[in-house]
Amino acid sequence: AASGFATPALALGRSDANTLEQIRSYNNYYEFGFQKEEPAKHAGALVTDDWRVEVGGLVDNPGSYTLEDLIGGLTVEERIYRLRCVEAWSMVIPWSGVELADVLGRIGVQDGARYVAFETVLQPAAMWNANARGMDFPYVEGLRLDEAMHPLTLLATGIYGEPLANQNGAPIRLVVPWKYGFKSIKSIVRITLTAEQPITTWTRIDANEYGFYANVNPQVDHPRWSQATERPVGVGLFGGRRDTLMFNGYDEVAPLYAGMDLRVDY
Amino acid sequence: MWLVYAGTAAWVAWLFGLALVGRLGVDPVATLIGWYGKGAMNLLIVGLTITPLRRFTGLSLLRFRRAVGLSAFFVLCAHLAVFALLDLQSLSRLGVEIAERPYITVGMLAFVLMIPLALTSTDRAIRKMGRNWQKLHRLTYAVILLGWVHYDWQVRGDVVEPAIYLSIIVVLLGLRLLPRQRGRVVAGQK
């Protein structure tokens, strides 16, 4: 399932990707601070040993999974994806991981399930900013089931073939390349299949600014800034901006939203 | 006084140099814009501290006030220049941003309001304008408030830092509303 998911013109190679150093030094992981360089400084405190993921809701095989239970034996692939942040900067990242669909197959999705809810670990002792005013941790996110089952959607465990750094969401995180980066929740400890659309952290903070879908869309601006262009990270002082692509360039997901008004379901 | 100008110019140049050699992180354009914006706001706040400081402690730094204000304007020019020339790299985009992004509109308004203040910062203008000079330069109060709004409207997540800035600004402006003992007597004699 590795190829055929991106049109050849938009397929990316490692040479297009940001360096590992860039990817590890410029992060949004608010539990470790609001500034981009803070997660790299503080996320070392996160304890990732004996990681468990609680699987529940409308599944055949609920329970507390080790990483080996959850993804062991599944096909690990390298996927070089564009990452577009809602703040209008972007990167290219060579992830390694498994398709979320494979994991959902393993845990057994029941008939009534229509959404997948995810939760980030909460370790207040390690996360100095976890009590930040205006935020409410643990961080939660969600996908519609068909989005979760799409072959582009990954559970990533590495970058450049190396295990994820904590600031990048170790030991396991979601990657949904056609959505703004905040959908790709980090350091997952809970996966719940639900019938109802789950609440997400940013929608709870401001539903006018951050919708459930959060598809990259140059035609639908954030209320406070334009989404038409983006500043690629790592191009230096004179690199400028470039145009943002619909669905971040992953047009193959368009059928998922056929008939929906993406200005309403932003 | 020249120390204020030299210090400001050196700081602006130093940051730009760091960005040039790649020592300002992986997103140097955004980092520069952020630092210059904060720098201008901080200098304005320092400038607004000078009058209450003299009134309540007797310490007069009045001779530095023009240099602080002009330095703030200079840093604000750098802030805008990096945004327009290095980030957007297009005048038409700048026009669209000013028209469509409320926080950019507000920021530009603050910049425009500072232009007459900078232009009337000569001894000659101060002499010629008399009391009107003081009235005109009260625009600084509007500039700092607009500057804060411009900053607050783009923050994502952190609510504490904008709140700290706002409380400092409110205190500095509020101190000016306290009744003036001597001023009242003078007014009464008129």
Side-chain angles (χ1 to χ4, degrees):
Chain A
S3 57
F5 58 84
T7 53
L10 293 169
L12 298 164
R14 271 200 183 189
S15 58
D16 303 307
N18 285 91
T19 66
L20 188 58
E21 194 198 344
Q22 290 169 342
I23 295 165
R24 287 183 170 176
S25 64
Y26 193 82
N27 309 102
N28 276 328
Y29 198 153
Y30 281 178
E31 293 90 324
F32 295 106
F34 292 120
Q35 306 301 318
K36 298 284 182 294
E37 65 281 1
E38 284 182 298
K41 274 185 212 153
H42 303 298
L46 190 73
V47 180
T48 58
D49 300 335
D50 304 317
W51 196 263
R52 294 283 179 152
V53 179
E54 304 295 326
V55 174
L58 302 170
V59 295
D60 296 329
N61 310 307
S64 175
Y65 284 64
T66 64
L67 286 181
E68 178 59 27
D69 296 337
L70 194 69
I71 61 170
L74 298 179
T75 309
V76 178
E77 295 178 21
E78 177 164 88
R79 298 278 182 87
I80 302 164
Y81 284 159
R82 282 176 288 278
L83 172 91
R84 171 61 157 79
C85 180
V86 73
E87 296 163 349
W89 53 268
S90 65
M91 281 196 185
V92 174
I93 301 178
W95 304 101
S96 36
V98 300
E99 289 186 7
L100 177 59
D102 291 346
V103 176
L104 294 176
R106 177 170 286 187
I107 65 185
V109 177
Q110 293 184 345
D111 277 348
R114 291 186 55 226
Y115 295 90
V116 191
F118 302 89
E119 186 177 310
T120 294
V121 71
L122 181 59
Q123 292 179 8
M127 296 168 152
W128 72 271
N129 202 32
N131 292 319
R133 246 169 217 278
M135 303 291 295
D136 189 8
F137 294 115
Y139 193 86
V140 289
E141 258 304 338
L143 294 174
R144 216 171 56 192
L145 187 58
D146 57 344
E147 299 174 322
M149 295 295 288
H150 195 279
L152 281 173
T153 306
L154 286 195
L155 279 181
T157 53
I159 294 174
Y160 275 110
E162 295 199 30
L164 290 176
N166 289 353
Q167 62 269 29
N168 291 126
I172 189 163
R173 65 168 293 167
L174 186 67
V175 179
V176 194
W178 71 91
K179 292 176 181 285
Y180 293 120
F182 67 84
K183 292 295 288 183
S184 293
I185 184 171
K186 291 170 170 162
S187 308
I188 296 168
V189 291
R190 194 181 298 277
I191 298 176
T192 312
L193 275 290
T194 65
E196 304 296 322
Q197 181 174 304
I199 189 72
T200 67
T201 292
W202 279 106
T203 303
R204 191 163 53 200
I205 290 170
D206 196 335
N208 292 322
E209 298 195 350
Y210 310 98
F212 177 80
Y213 288 96
N215 291 318
V216 175
N217 188 341
Q219 280 126 45
V220 177
D221 286 341
H222 185 279
R224 289 184 280 151
W225 55 80
S226 167
Q227 295 292 23
T229 62
E230 62 201 49
R231 212 174 46 258
V233 164
V235 297
L237 201 47
F238 305 103
R241 294 180 160 261
R242 66 167 171 242
D243 290 340
T244 288
L245 303 170
M246 186 67 207
F247 296 120
N248 207 19
Y250 300 96
D251 294 330
E252 59 268 53
V253 302
L256 295 176
Y257 309 101
M260 285 172 64
D261 183 348
L262 296 180
R263 288 184 183 278
V264 177
D265 289 310
Y266 49 92
Chain B
M1 230 157 45
W2 64 270
L3 259 177
V4 177
Y5 293 119
T8 304
W11 179 76
V12 167
W14 168 247
L15 279 181
F16 196 82
L18 285 181
L20 265 181
V21 300
R23 295 274 304 279
L24 218 56
V26 295
D27 195 3
V29 173
T31 309
L32 268 186
I33 292 173
W35 275 110
Y36 288 164
K38 284 256 175 81
M41 193 153 71
N42 290 344
L43 279 168
L44 277 174
I45 286 174
V46 169
L48 284 167
T49 313
I50 288 174
T51 297
L53 198 66
R54 189 176 60 148
R55 189 173 156 202
F56 295 104
T57 72
L59 177 66
S60 179
L61 301 172
L62 211 57
R63 65 186 180 284
F64 295 111
R65 194 169 65 177
R66 167 163 44 189
V68 170
L70 282 174
S71 293
F73 181 69
F74 170 62
V75 177
L76 192 59
C77 290
H79 173 73
L80 183 59
V82 174
F83 175 63
L85 302 176
L86 296 182
D87 188 357
L88 298 182
Q89 299 192 350
S90 135
L91 273 180
S92 65
R93 269 188 203 156
L94 181 64
V96 170
E97 292 290 310
I98 293 170
E100 291 185 5
R101 308 288 144 239
Y103 80 89
I104 304 274
T105 316
V106 165
M108 274 309 289
L109 184 59
F111 173 75
V112 168
L113 289 183
M114 271 197 91
I115 294 173
L117 305 189
L119 291 177
T120 55
S121 283
T122 58
D123 287 335
R124 200 160 148 254
I126 295 169
R127 261 198 318 272
K128 255 182 109 173
M129 295 176 65
R131 290 186 71 87
N132 286 331
W133 186 91
Q134 225 161 8
K135 275 189 198 154
L136 178 69
H137 281 246
R138 291 205 180 110
L139 275 179
T140 315
Y141 310 157
V143 170
I144 190 70
L145 287 169
L146 290 170
W148 178 83
V149 169
H150 166 72
Y151 156 65
D152 182 65
W153 280 359
Q154 49 194 301
V155 168
R156 239 185 116 233
D158 191 1
V159 294
V160 174
E161 196 175 292
I164 293 172
Y165 265 104
L166 182 62
S167 44
I168 292 172
I169 292 166
V170 165
V171 166
L172 286 176
L173 297 187
L175 286 175
R176 288 166 162 79
L177 295 175
L178 291 179
R180 237 169 239 270
Q181 210 71 51
R182 213 154 53 98
R184 219 188 277 147
V185 174
V186 171
Q189 282 171 343
K190 266 194 174 173

